[in-house]
Amino acid sequence: MTMAPGTRNGDWGVGTHTLGLLYPPSGRRGDYTTMQLAFVGGVAQAAAEHGYDLLLAPAGTHDDPSFPRMVDDRRVDGVIVMEIRREDDRVERLADAGFPFVAIGRNHRADAVDWVDLDFAGLAGGCVQHLVDLGHRRIAFVNRSEQLFDSGYGFARLGGEGYTETMKKLLLTPHAYLCGDDLASGEEAVERILADDPETTSLVTLNEAALEGVYRGLTRHGRSVPRDFSVVGVAASPWAEQVDPPLTASEIPAKEMSRFAVDLMMRRLRSPDLPPRHVLLKPLITLRASTGPCRPVPGSEPESDLPDFPDIDLDF
C-alpha cells in the first residue's frame, strides 16, 4: 500500500471529514440484506452526528478496486471494516499501513485493533440452553451459507462453535447445517434436518434470511410452531417480529454496534497512539411466540402396553 508524500505512518491528517465503510454484500444475488442495510444506516447516522459523511465500498478483499480508491487515494479519514473473516487481508493491509480503522467483528488480530462485536458463541449457546430448559433434547442448528462459512466468516464460525460446545457440554448430540440466505434454502434445511432425525423437536438459527423458509418447511411436514417444534435464533428485531409466529431471539443491536464503532473511530482519530479498545456485547434472549415446552413428535408416541378391552355396557 502506498502513502502520499509527507504522510507518516499512523498520522494521515487528510481532513476529509468522511469515514469509509468496507462492507461486501452477502445477499444471494449480490445485494445487501435487510440486516446489512440496518448497519449501513446506523453507521451513517452515527457518523453524521460527529460531522462526518460516509463512503460505502463493497470491498470484501484488498484486491477489490474500491479498496485502493478509498484507502490509497485517501478519500476518507478512517475506515470501518465489516464482514470480518478469520484471515482477512483488508485488516492486514490497513494494520500494516497504519491507516486508522475499526472492525465490526474480530479475528486473530483482535488484540491489536479496535473492534466491537457480539458474543456469537455465547449467544448460540444461550439459545441451546433456552431450549433445553423447555425440555428439548434433539436440537438442530441452522447456520449461514457454505460459501460464508468456508471463507472463515466470524459470525458463522463462532456461532457454530458455541452451539456445538454447549450441546456436547450438556451431553447432547449436535446436528449442524449450512444454509443459504434465502427462503428456498431454509425449506431445504428443514428437509435435511428431519430426514436425518425425524424426532428433532427444535432448532437454533443464525440465518434470519432463511427463517421464513424454515417455517414453511416445518409447516409442510406438519410441525406447528411452537406446539410441535420450537425455533430460537440470533436475529435483528425486524426479522424476528415480522415472521409468524414472532421469533424468540437474541437480537442483533445493529444501531448500538454502529454507534460504538463510530465512537471508537473518533477516539482513534483524536488519539492515534492510544491502545486498542474492545467492546463485546451479549444481548439477552427476547421471548416471543416461537418456543414452547417439548412435546412428543406427532406420530412418535409409544403404543400403550395395556391390552385393549372391548366396550361393555353395564346396567345397574
Side-chain angles (χ1 to χ4, degrees):
M1 178 177 292
T2 59
M3 291 189 287
T7 303
R8 61 186 177 87
N9 190 37
D11 182 15
W12 294 83
V14 293
T16 66
H17 280 277
T18 302
L19 298 182
L21 179 60
L22 296 176
Y23 202 3
S26 64
R28 189 176 186 181
R29 297 180 179 86
D31 53 0
Y32 286 99
T33 65
T34 301
M35 168 56 69
Q36 289 187 308
L37 292 174
F39 273 103
V40 172
V43 171
Q45 180 179 0
E49 292 173 2
H50 288 278
Y52 278 75
D53 297 324
L54 183 68
L55 179 61
L56 173 65
T61 72
H62 75 275
D63 292 326
D64 189 291
S66 62
F67 185 94
R69 285 200 300 268
M70 177 182 288
V71 178
D72 292 357
D73 295 346
R74 297 189 300 144
R75 294 184 178 181
V76 298
D77 294 352
V79 171
I80 295 173
V81 188
M82 296 197 64
E83 305 291 15
I84 300 293
R85 300 183 301 277
R86 289 290 177 91
E87 301 293 334
D88 199 309
D89 58 22
R90 301 171 302 168
V91 170
E92 300 297 331
R93 279 296 189 95
L94 290 166
D96 291 345
F99 198 97
F101 77 99
V102 172
I104 297 182
R106 65 196 192 279
N107 61 10
H108 72 284
R109 295 202 61 150
D111 292 341
V113 303
D114 295 296
W115 55 259
V116 56
D117 200 5
L118 288 183
D119 180 9
F120 287 111
L123 294 180
C127 290
V128 171
Q129 187 63 59
H130 171 66
L131 293 171
V132 169
D133 291 343
L134 291 171
H136 296 275
R137 297 296 181 268
R138 296 175 183 260
I139 304 168
F141 181 68
V142 177
N143 206 332
R144 299 294 298 276
S145 70
E146 182 177 2
Q147 178 184 0
L148 282 178
F149 187 86
D150 289 345
S151 74
Y153 185 39
F155 182 0
R157 292 293 183 93
L158 291 169
E161 291 168 6
Y163 160 80
T164 300
E165 290 172 5
T166 303
M167 291 288 285
K168 290 181 177 179
K169 180 180 177 181
L170 296 171
L171 304 180
L172 302 175
T173 303
H175 293 281
Y177 299 82
L178 298 175
C179 175
D181 298 337
D182 61 275
L183 187 151
S185 296
E187 291 189 77
E188 181 187 357
V190 171
E191 291 282 347
R192 288 183 283 152
I193 289 169
L194 296 181
D196 290 345
D197 184 2
E199 295 189 19
T200 302
T201 63
S202 60
L203 65 82
V204 176
T205 181
L206 298 187
N207 195 326
E208 57 189 11
L211 182 58
E212 186 176 349
V214 168
Y215 275 15
R216 287 192 184 186
L218 290 169
T219 298
R220 191 166 66 243
H221 282 272
R223 308 293 178 91
S224 174
V225 178
R227 186 190 65 198
D228 307 315
F229 202 101
S230 287
V231 181
V232 61
V234 179
S237 56
W239 287 91
E241 293 168 355
Q242 289 171 11
V243 292
D244 184 22
L247 180 71
T248 293
S250 289
E251 297 182 17
I252 298 177
K255 187 172 183 178
E256 290 80 0
M257 293 179 71
S258 300
R259 185 172 302 280
F260 274 122
V262 172
D263 287 346
L264 290 176
M265 188 77 261
M266 295 298 105
R267 174 180 178 269
R268 178 58 51 199
L269 292 175
R270 288 193 300 266
S271 305
D273 297 326
L274 285 177
R277 185 181 174 194
H278 309 139
V279 179
L280 184 64
L281 305 176
K282 186 175 181 178
L284 298 175
I285 291 177
T286 299
L287 299 178
R288 295 192 179 89
S290 67
T291 54
C294 181
R295 295 174 42 143
V297 173
S300 68
E301 293 85 351
E303 295 184 5
S304 173
D305 293 332
L306 297 175
D308 292 330
F309 292 98
D311 293 332
I312 301 176
D313 291 329
L314 298 178
D315 239 347
F316 293 101

